Amino acid sequence: MTEQTQLDLAETAAPDGGGAGASKAMAFSFGEAESVLDRRELSQYFEIWHNGRWFEPPLPMDKLCQAFNMAPHHSSAIWLKVNLLVGAHVPTAKLSSDDFERWALDFLQMGNGYLEDIPNRGGGTARLDHASARHMRAPKDPNEGYFFIGSGVAQEHQFAPGRIFHLQQPDVAQEIYGLPAWLAALQSGLLNENATLFRRRYYLNGAHMGFILYVSEAFSDQETADQIEKAIKAGKGAGNFKNMFLNIPSGKKDSVQLLPVGELAAKDEFSGIKNISRDDMLAAHRVPPILLGIVPQNAAGFGKPSEALDTFYLVEVVPIIRRLLRVNDWAGSEVLQFANYDASDGSQITPTGKRIAAASED
C-alpha cells in the first residue's frame, strides 16, 4: 500500500485574545496520490516454499497478470510475438488455435505455459486444453499431479499425474517455475505507468501542483473556519495533488512563505521518463521500434519494416517456436505444427530457423 503522510493540525491561541470564542490558527493538507500497483511486492524475490502439497511461485501470479497492462510498449511487444506465432501456427485436431494462443500468451507474459492432456476412451490424447498459468501450482511430490488453485476458499483441483505439460522460461535461481524474460524491465514499466498517472492527475488538477489557501484575517468564530475547511475537502478531486488551507488570525503578509528548491513550476520530465522507460522495455523484449509503430525522431528513420520484421522473426520468434515445439516430444505425436515464414526477399524461414532460398524464375 502507498505510504500516507499526515500533517498534524496545529492549533494555537490567537495573540490578541484567549477567550473561548477566539479564532485559532489551523492547518491541514489532503490529496495524497496512490499508485495502481504495489511495486514492493513485484520487485522482491521470495524463497520457493511449499505448504506440504504444492510449491508457491517466486512472484505473485496475480501481480504479473496486472503488470501486463502497465505500459503500452510492454503489452504491444507481447502481442506482436503472439500474433506472429498465431500467424504461423497450423491448427491440428488435438490443439486448437484458441488454446494455442492462450498458451503462448501465458508463456510470454507469465514465464509459464500449461496444457492439459484430455484423454480419450482408449487412454490416448483426445486434445490439449489450455490451463491458466495464473492458477497452476507445481506439486511438492514430482510423482503427483499439478494443482489448479482458484481465487476462493477451498477452490482447488488436482490433476492426474502426467496430465499437465509445463513449459517455462528458465530462472537462474530455481527450476520449479519459470520467470518471464522481460522481468528486468518491470521497474521501467511501472515508472512509465506512474509518469502517465502523474500527468493525468496534474491535468485534472487544473495544471498546477496544489495550492496554499492563505487567510490572514481572523474569522468571526471557529465555526466559519470549520465550514471553509469542510468545503475545500469536499471539493477536491479524487487523486489530485495535495492542497493546504492555512488560517493565521492577525497574520502578516509574509507570515507564511514557500521556499522552493529550484523552480516552482512542475518539472516532472514527463517526455524523458516516457522515452527512457520505453527504450528499457523495448530492449528487454528485443523488439525493433518500427514494429510497434513508434515514430522516429530523426530524418534517417528506422529503415524498412519488412527487413526489421525478417530479422526479428529469425532471431526472436524462431527460438520461441522451438521451445513451444517441445510439447510434441511430451505428447508423443505432432500436436503442434507451424508453417514456414515468407520473408521479404522471397525466401522462407522454417520453424527450426533454416532459410529456403526463393525459387528461380528461370
Side-chain angles (χ1 to χ4, degrees):
M1 298 178 63
T2 305
E3 296 181 358
Q4 299 291 335
T5 303
Q6 295 182 344
L7 179 63
D8 296 333
L9 298 181
E11 296 187 356
T12 58
D16 55 352
S23 298
K24 299 180 180 180
M26 55 185 300
F28 65 88
S29 61
F30 55 87
E32 188 70 24
E34 296 185 3
S35 176
V36 176
L37 292 178
D38 187 350
R39 297 171 299 280
R40 292 172 297 179
E41 292 185 14
L42 284 170
S43 61
Q44 291 180 351
Y45 277 79
F46 294 94
E47 185 177 324
I48 296 293
W49 63 277
H50 61 82
N51 60 2
R53 303 177 64 192
W54 64 76
F55 288 99
E56 288 293 336
L59 289 178
M61 292 292 104
D62 289 343
K63 296 299 182 181
L64 283 180
C65 289
Q66 294 177 2
F68 179 64
N69 293 313
M70 64 183 174
H73 303 102
H74 170 70
S75 59
S76 294
I78 294 289
W79 277 118
L80 173 63
K81 298 177 184 179
V82 172
N83 289 339
L84 291 174
L85 292 171
V86 171
H89 174 240
V90 178
T92 61
K94 294 183 179 181
L95 183 59
S96 67
S97 179
D98 181 68
D99 284 299
F100 169 76
E101 181 175 0
R102 295 178 181 274
W103 177 48
L105 180 60
D106 270 359
F107 177 68
L108 294 174
Q109 169 63 23
M110 310 292 286
N112 298 273
Y114 301 87
L115 289 174
E116 178 188 1
D117 180 7
I118 306 298
N120 54 27
R121 293 183 178 180
T125 299
R127 68 179 189 275
L128 295 178
D129 287 353
H130 163 257
S132 175
R134 176 183 180 183
H135 301 288
M136 296 297 296
R137 298 294 183 269
K140 178 179 180 295
D141 188 347
N143 296 319
E144 294 185 356
Y146 276 70
F147 289 88
F148 183 92
I149 307 302
S151 56
V153 179
Q155 292 185 3
E156 63 182 59
H157 169 73
Q158 186 173 17
F159 297 92
R163 289 300 179 187
I164 295 295
F165 172 69
H166 180 194
L167 181 65
Q168 57 177 277
Q169 299 184 38
D171 177 30
V172 297
Q174 46 83 37
E175 67 281 354
I176 298 175
Y177 292 99
L179 286 178
W182 56 264
L183 194 61
L186 176 63
Q187 297 298 334
S188 295
L190 294 176
L191 177 61
N192 188 288
E193 179 203 34
N194 288 334
T196 303
L197 293 176
F198 175 86
R199 177 64 68 169
R200 287 189 61 210
R201 290 167 180 168
Y202 180 70
Y203 175 79
L204 294 175
N205 202 48
H208 56 74
M209 289 289 294
F211 62 86
I212 296 177
L213 179 60
Y214 175 45
V215 180
S216 61
E217 297 297 331
F219 292 110
S220 59
D221 50 34
Q222 187 63 32
E223 182 180 357
T224 302
D226 294 339
Q227 290 178 354
I228 294 179
E229 173 187 351
K230 182 178 179 181
I232 295 179
K233 284 185 176 181
K236 78 179 185 71
N240 284 353
F241 293 92
K242 182 177 295 185
N243 304 318
M244 178 178 290
F245 170 68
L246 185 62
N247 174 30
I248 302 180
S250 302
K252 304 299 182 182
K253 178 180 179 181
D254 297 329
S255 297
V256 177
Q257 298 185 47
L258 183 61
L259 303 177
V261 179
E263 297 184 27
L264 180 61
K267 305 294 288 184
D268 59 327
E269 297 294 339
F270 178 73
S271 297
I273 293 175
K274 295 287 287 187
N275 292 336
I276 292 175
S277 59
R278 176 201 64 194
D279 293 344
D280 287 347
M281 286 182 283
L282 293 184
H285 287 290
R286 298 170 298 280
V287 176
I290 193 173
L291 299 183
L292 294 184
I294 297 176
V295 179
Q297 301 298 320
N298 52 42
F302 297 130
K304 294 182 179 180
S306 57
E307 296 178 354
L309 180 59
D310 292 347
T311 303
F312 177 72
Y313 190 91
L314 183 62
V315 303
E316 185 66 25
V317 178
V318 167
I320 297 176
I321 290 178
R322 300 189 66 167
R323 295 186 183 100
L324 297 175
L325 286 173
R326 295 172 187 170
V327 68
N328 291 339
D329 297 332
W330 176 82
S333 61
E334 197 175 13
V335 297
L336 178 60
Q337 298 178 8
F338 290 95
N340 293 341
Y341 168 79
D342 295 324
S344 59
D345 60 356
S347 64
Q348 290 187 332
I349 301 176
T350 67
T352 58
K354 295 181 179 180
R355 273 191 178 270
I356 302 176
S360 175
E361 296 181 357
D362 295 341

